[in-house]
Amino acid sequence: MEDESPSTSTSSHEGDPTRSEPKWLGFALHPKKRKSFVTPKLVEELERAGFKMKQLDPSKPLEEQGRVDVLLHKMTSRDDWSKRLENYAKEHPRTCIVDHPDDIAVLANRMTMLRPARKARLNTPAQFLLESPECAVQEALETRGMKLPLVAKPLRAGGSSGSHTLGIIYDQQGMKDLLDGKLEPLRPPVVLQQFLEHEGVLFKVYVLGDTVQAVHRPSVHDARLKNKAKETCTTESEKGNSFINRKVEHDLGPGEKEVAKSSEHEEPHVQMWTYMSRTCPNGEKPVGLHVQMPPQEKLIKIARKLRDVLNLELFNFDLIRCREHLEEGERDVYYIIDINYFPGYSKMPGYEKAFASFLKSYVEGEKENSEKRE
C-alpha cells in the first residue's frame, strides 16, 4: 500500500480510471474495519488487478488527498460524511464511488433495513419499534399477529456499539425486564422481531457485486435453546443485576462461541446473545449442525433481488430456513432477518481475490456506463 503526495498528484477527474496504468483505490474506513479488511493478501490481489491502495483521512478535505480513481468507504459515525462525499462526486465525476451514502443509510436503521426486502417480495419476520417503556406492547403485538417468543434488537445497526447484541424474549417477565432497562445494552428504542424456529443455524450470505457466497453460522436452536452446552456461570451482583452471565460454549467446532445471559430460573425469561466468532474456518459446517446449505441458485436469486432494490454492491444478509407444515407435506420457507452494509468480508473464505475481481469488473462497468451517457 502506497501514499501519493497531494502536491505531485493530478486530481481524480483528470485521469481515466480504466486506463492500463495502476488505478488509485482510496479507502475511508474506521480503524477496526481497516485492520480486519486491509490485509497484505488483499493488497497483493488488488495490485494484480491493477490497483494501488491509499488511506484517506476523513477529517481532511478529500480534494487535498491526491488522485482517487475508486473510493471505498464506511464512515457511519461522521455526520458530515454523506454531504462531503456527495459534493466530491459532483466535482469529480470520473471517480467511482462504492456505494452512495443515501443507499447505505437505509441499512443503518433496523426499522428501514428490511423494507427493501419486502418491496422485492422476499420473506421477512413481522416486527415493530418499541420506542419507549410506555408503549402499548400487547396491543402492538396483536395488531401485527406477533406473539412470544420475540427477538429484541438495537434500533441502530451498522457496527455501532452493541448493535450485534440481541435478546430472545420468552415471556411477560422477560418483556418487563426489557421495559425496565435491565437488559443492557438493549433499551428502548429497540426493534421487536417475531422469533421463527430455524433449526439452530442461519446462513450469512455475502454479496460482492455479482459474487454470492454463503457460510453457516450458529443461531438459537428453538424457543428454549434446547441444545447441550457447557455452562460456566459468573454472577454480576456487584453491578446490582439480578441476572447471571452464562458463558455458553456450544460444541460447534473451531471458531464458534456464543455468550448468553439468562435469569436464575431453570427456564430463562430472556437469553442475551453476542456472537464472538461468526463463522467456522474455511466455510465448514459447525459440528452437530447437519443442515444443508440452500441451493446456490436460490441464494443468487435472492441476492440479485436485494441488490437491485438496495442499489448497493457491498452487503450481506442473514437468511434462515423454516419448515412449513402443510397437509401435503413440508416445505422450506426462507426469511431474511438482517442486512448489513460492507460486512466483515474477512470471514468470507477467499474474500481477497473475490474483492479484487469485483472491483475490476465494477470499474469496467462504470466506464461502459459513462461512455453510453456521453
Side-chain angles (χ1 to χ4, degrees):
M1 185 168 61
E2 302 180 31
D3 196 8
E4 182 181 16
S5 171
S7 61
T8 60
S9 67
T10 58
S11 64
S12 60
H13 67 282
E14 293 175 345
D16 181 352
T18 57
R19 60 189 179 280
S20 57
E21 65 182 80
K23 294 169 281 291
W24 282 97
L25 169 62
F27 61 92
L29 305 172
H30 292 292
K32 184 177 179 181
K33 184 75 173 179
R34 185 170 65 243
K35 183 178 180 181
S36 65
F37 179 72
V38 184
T39 63
K41 177 66 173 175
L42 177 66
V43 174
E44 178 185 341
E45 291 292 346
L46 285 170
E47 287 181 348
R48 287 179 181 174
F51 294 94
K52 286 189 176 183
M53 298 188 73
K54 62 187 302 182
Q55 180 179 329
L56 301 176
D57 186 343
S59 67
K60 298 179 180 179
L62 293 172
E63 293 80 0
E64 298 178 4
Q65 300 186 55
R67 196 184 88 211
V68 179
D69 299 315
V70 187
L71 199 156
L72 196 66
H73 66 103
K74 188 176 183 181
M75 297 298 300
T76 53
S77 64
R78 296 190 64 90
D79 296 334
D80 62 337
W81 178 252
S82 296
K83 187 63 178 177
R84 289 172 55 201
L85 201 57
E86 184 178 344
N87 292 336
Y88 183 83
K90 290 178 181 178
E91 295 295 325
H92 304 82
R94 287 186 177 273
T95 298
C96 300
I97 298 179
V98 191
D99 286 287
H100 196 285
D102 288 347
D103 297 322
I104 297 170
V106 174
L107 301 185
N109 182 311
R110 283 197 167 92
M111 281 308 294
T112 60
M113 176 187 290
L114 297 182
R115 288 176 186 170
R118 290 192 286 272
K119 183 178 179 181
R121 298 182 179 276
L122 297 169
N123 295 321
T124 63
Q127 63 180 35
F128 82 97
L129 177 62
L130 178 63
E131 297 188 74
S132 71
E134 291 73 33
C135 286
V137 178
Q138 192 59 41
E139 181 180 342
L141 292 176
E142 291 175 357
T143 300
R144 293 162 178 79
M146 298 171 64
K147 61 182 180 180
L148 295 166
L150 300 168
V151 183
K153 299 181 178 183
L155 177 61
R156 296 293 299 172
S160 55
S161 178
S163 63
H164 294 303
T165 298
L166 61 86
I168 312 299
I169 311 296
Y170 294 121
D171 52 29
Q172 294 298 333
Q173 180 60 48
M175 184 63 69
K176 183 177 185 301
D177 290 338
L178 174 64
L179 296 174
D180 290 344
K182 295 181 179 180
L183 306 182
E184 288 286 359
L186 291 176
R187 287 174 174 266
V190 297
V191 173
L192 292 179
Q193 191 177 86
Q194 181 62 62
F195 176 87
L196 300 171
E197 166 57 24
H198 51 283
E199 299 183 291
V201 67
L202 61 78
F203 308 100
K204 185 163 283 291
V205 186
Y206 293 90
V207 180
L208 271 170
D210 291 326
T211 299
V212 179
Q213 185 172 342
V215 296
H216 287 79
R217 176 175 138 183
S219 184
V220 183
H221 188 269
D222 62 19
R224 289 293 175 183
L225 301 177
K226 294 177 181 176
N227 40 22
K228 296 179 181 179
K230 304 171 188 176
E231 299 183 358
T232 57
C233 301
T234 305
T235 61
E236 286 197 324
S237 57
E238 68 273 14
K239 296 182 181 180
N241 194 333
S242 62
F243 286 76
I244 288 180
N245 268 0
R246 292 185 182 178
K247 190 172 184 181
V248 184
E249 298 188 9
H250 296 265
D251 187 18
L252 296 172
E256 294 294 352
K257 188 178 292 185
E258 302 143 14
V259 176
K261 285 183 182 179
S262 72
S263 70
E264 297 181 60
H265 299 277
E266 183 177 347
E267 290 193 341
H269 301 298
V270 179
Q271 287 282 349
M272 297 284 286
W273 290 70
T274 302
Y275 291 91
M276 307 297 289
S277 179
R278 303 191 176 192
T279 60
C280 287
N282 303 318
E284 297 172 354
K285 293 182 183 179
V287 175
L289 293 179
H290 305 292
V291 180
Q292 286 292 108
M293 185 73 77
Q296 182 66 12
E297 56 269 24
K298 180 75 173 179
L299 297 177
I300 292 174
K301 184 177 180 180
I302 294 173
R304 283 177 177 171
K305 285 185 176 182
L306 280 178
R307 186 182 171 199
D308 288 343
V309 74
L310 290 169
N311 196 31
L312 295 173
E313 301 290 341
L314 307 176
F315 64 94
N316 70 5
F317 57 95
D318 290 347
L319 189 72
I320 60 173
R321 178 171 53 207
C322 305
R323 289 291 172 87
E324 191 173 275
H325 300 277
L326 305 172
E327 289 184 4
E328 58 271 22
E330 295 183 340
R331 70 167 184 172
D332 292 334
V333 181
Y334 293 92
Y335 287 84
I336 296 170
I337 60 173
D338 217 64
I339 310 173
N340 302 286
Y341 180 69
F342 204 146
Y345 283 111
S346 58
K347 301 180 182 72
M348 169 182 157
Y351 83 95
E352 300 93 344
K353 189 171 184 177
F355 192 87
S357 177
F358 151 73
L359 209 58
K360 185 176 182 179
S361 298
Y362 181 80
V363 172
E364 290 173 352
E366 286 296 296
K367 179 189 176 185
E368 292 178 5
N369 293 336
S370 177
E371 290 175 347
K372 289 178 182 178
R373 288 193 295 268
E374 293 175 358

